[in-house]
């Protein structure tokens, strides 16, 4: 891909409303401000952006917006980020509060047990029924298993996460997420990658106390109570356009708790690829711009060793090339 690699992010000043930004190194440039300067310059002929207020809005029309963003980055490099043209639009990214890049997506799809080592560890601890045939990663007789997570569970890459009152088994699941830009219905896996605009680091934080409800064990998994508490979907810190990711099927996944490595895997271990997950979901409902797919975690979750997060713990989640998140767990004060 020609041009300088860049990422996008959603920030908030203190105080201030969220805004979309282009990020180059540790320099964040508010998209609205730099776009105005670009549009008024001799270079501003690549066509208009469809939106500047949010990454979610940019995804609608991403095929047009991405080349314009590349032109804007070239303009920033030509002028220099310190140029008076960008006055008021430039800040150090590290001085801003980073939020989930895609705010309020329509749907968040999560893949359950999409690494064989995770299938095996959940079977060992009784989170998967022992009766019936054991799933061994053979895809000819099964399909992806997806569930929905509430968009209100989104959190920033450095936000605190409150342990819900009365809950004791709060677990981690390091994962890669991708955001869809193109509406899809019955899309094939072979063409699904064309619908992905970019990737992010995320974590499917889970409340194992409620994954299988003690009062309704026959109903098995309680996806709402197990997955959608406040801030249980930290995401970011950046949105990395697909053009700059390389091979999304060869990215390392790493998670530590208080500096101790708990998960160390690779997206090459996926049972079902993100493309196969999109194919499956789009045969059930329409995939829309801004929808997010969270593609599954590797082995090493806390449930596997009966070890869980507690107040004061710091969980760091990193996907190769996509950035690291650091979330502290705190007492619920709500």
């Amino acid at each position: 891909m020609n041009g300088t690699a860049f990422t996008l992010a959603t920030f908030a000043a203190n105080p201030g409303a969220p805004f979309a930004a282009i990020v180059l190194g540790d320099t964040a440039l508010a998209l609205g401000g730099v776009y105005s300067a670009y549009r008024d310059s001799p270079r501003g002929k690549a066509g208009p952006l469809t939106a500047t207020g949010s990454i979610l809005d940019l995804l609608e029309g991403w095929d047009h917006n991405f080349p314009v963003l590349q032109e804007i980055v070239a303009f920033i490099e030509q002028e220099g980020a310190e140029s008076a043209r960008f006055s008021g639009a430039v800040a150090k990214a590290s001085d801003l509060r980073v939020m989930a890049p895609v705010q309020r997506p329509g749907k968040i799809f999560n893949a359950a047990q999409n690494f064989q080592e995770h299938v095996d560890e959940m079977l060992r601890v009784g989170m998967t029924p022992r009766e019936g045939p054991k799933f061994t990663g053979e895809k000819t007789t099964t399909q992806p298993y997806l569930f929905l997570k509430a968009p209100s569970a989104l959190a920033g890459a450095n936000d605190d996460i409150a342990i819900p009152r009365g809950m004791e088994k709060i677990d981690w699941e390091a994962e890669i997420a991708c955001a869809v830009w193109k509406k899809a219905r019955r899309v094939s896996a072979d063409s699904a990658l064309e619908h992905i605009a970019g990737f992010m680091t995320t974590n499917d934080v889970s409340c194992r106390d409620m994954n299988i409800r003690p009062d309704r064990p026959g109903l098995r998994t309680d996806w709402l109570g197990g997955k959608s508490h406040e801030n249980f979907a930290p995401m970011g810190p950046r949105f990395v356009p697909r053009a700059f990711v390389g091979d999304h099927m060869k990215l390392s996944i790493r998670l530590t708790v208080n500096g101790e490595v708990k998960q160390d895997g690779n997206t090459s271990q996926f049972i079902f690829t993100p493309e196969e997950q999109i194919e499956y979901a789009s045969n059930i409902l329409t995939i829309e711009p801004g929808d997010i797919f969270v593609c599954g975690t590797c082995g090493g979750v806390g449930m596997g060793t009966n070890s869980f997060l507690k107040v004061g713990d710091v969980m760091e989640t990193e996907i190769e090339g996509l950035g690291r998140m650091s979330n502290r767990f705190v007492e619920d004060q709500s």
Side-chain angles (χ1 to χ4, degrees):
M1 176 63 65
N2 295 328
T4 298
F6 63 90
T7 62
L8 299 173
T10 300
F11 293 109
N14 191 15
F19 63 93
I22 293 172
V23 184
L24 299 169
D26 190 41
T27 301
L29 299 102
L31 184 56
V34 296
Y35 175 61
S36 294
Y38 163 77
R39 187 185 53 204
D40 295 339
S41 76
R43 291 189 67 116
K45 57 182 180 291
L49 287 174
T50 62
T52 60
S54 73
I55 296 173
L56 179 60
D57 291 337
L58 281 173
L59 293 177
E60 185 93 45
W62 181 253
D63 57 337
H64 167 80
N65 288 329
F66 177 65
V68 178
L69 289 169
Q70 288 183 294
E71 287 295 319
I72 293 172
V73 169
F75 173 62
I76 293 168
E77 292 184 315
Q78 173 186 295
E79 297 293 319
E82 302 79 13
S83 170
R85 284 180 177 267
F86 308 132
S87 177
V90 182
K92 288 183 63 176
S94 54
D95 289 342
L96 301 169
R97 180 192 171 195
V98 61
M99 306 181 74
V102 180
Q103 295 280 296
R104 304 299 296 184
K107 300 181 284 294
I108 301 177
F109 299 91
N110 285 68
Q113 297 192 19
N114 197 38
F115 284 68
Q116 190 59 47
E117 58 186 12
H118 183 48
V119 173
D120 294 342
E121 68 184 350
M122 298 305 267
L123 179 64
R124 286 196 304 269
V125 299
M127 294 294 286
T128 299
R130 294 184 178 276
E131 62 272 14
K134 176 187 175 185
F135 180 56
T136 60
E138 172 53 55
K139 298 195 291 185
T140 60
T141 59
T142 189
Q143 295 177 306
Y145 193 112
L146 303 180
F147 62 91
L148 290 169
K149 193 158 185 167
S152 59
L154 281 172
N158 300 316
D159 285 353
D160 290 343
I161 300 173
I163 294 177
R165 294 180 185 180
M167 300 295 106
E168 299 178 346
K169 297 181 179 180
I170 307 305
D171 205 349
W172 55 83
E173 293 191 8
E175 308 198 26
I176 183 175
C178 59
V180 170
W181 72 270
K182 189 177 181 181
K183 193 173 184 178
R185 178 68 172 148
R186 302 194 188 285
V187 65
S188 70
D190 289 341
S191 60
L193 187 60
E194 300 170 8
H195 292 71
I196 297 174
F199 295 88
M200 298 166 285
T201 298
T202 190
N203 197 300
D204 177 23
V205 180
S206 304
C207 181
R208 304 298 187 195
D209 307 73
M210 297 182 70
N211 268 156
I212 298 178
R213 289 262 297 272
D215 60 330
R216 302 292 295 275
L219 294 180
R220 297 302 301 176
T221 305
D222 180 347
W223 293 111
L224 178 66
K227 298 290 188 174
S228 286
H229 292 274
E230 296 294 305
N231 285 17
F232 265 32
M235 196 170 291
R238 308 283 185 263
F239 177 87
V240 184
R242 177 169 61 88
F244 305 137
V245 172
D247 189 347
H248 65 286
M249 289 298 296
K250 293 182 180 178
L251 301 178
S252 64
I253 301 172
R254 185 178 174 87
L255 180 137
T256 65
V257 176
N258 301 328
E260 180 182 353
V261 176
K262 300 292 187 179
Q263 290 186 284
D264 191 1
N266 195 283
T267 58
S268 62
Q269 299 170 278
F270 281 143
I271 296 171
F272 291 100
T273 67
E275 294 92 325
E276 289 169 327
Q277 294 173 35
I278 291 172
E279 177 184 66
Y280 173 74
S282 72
N283 274 280
I284 297 172
L285 47 77
T286 299
I287 307 303
E288 299 169 307
D291 286 351
I292 293 172
F293 282 78
V294 178
C295 301
T297 196
C298 55
V301 301
M303 190 71 198
T305 56
N306 198 38
S307 57
F308 301 103
L309 294 157
K310 60 185 184 299
V311 171
D313 286 346
V314 175
M315 174 185 74
E316 292 192 311
T317 312
E318 184 172 14
I319 306 296
E320 179 183 356
L322 303 184
R324 177 187 296 134
M325 305 190 301
S326 182
N327 301 101
R328 181 180 298 275
F329 286 79
V330 299
E331 186 176 351
D332 188 349
Q333 300 291 338
S334 63

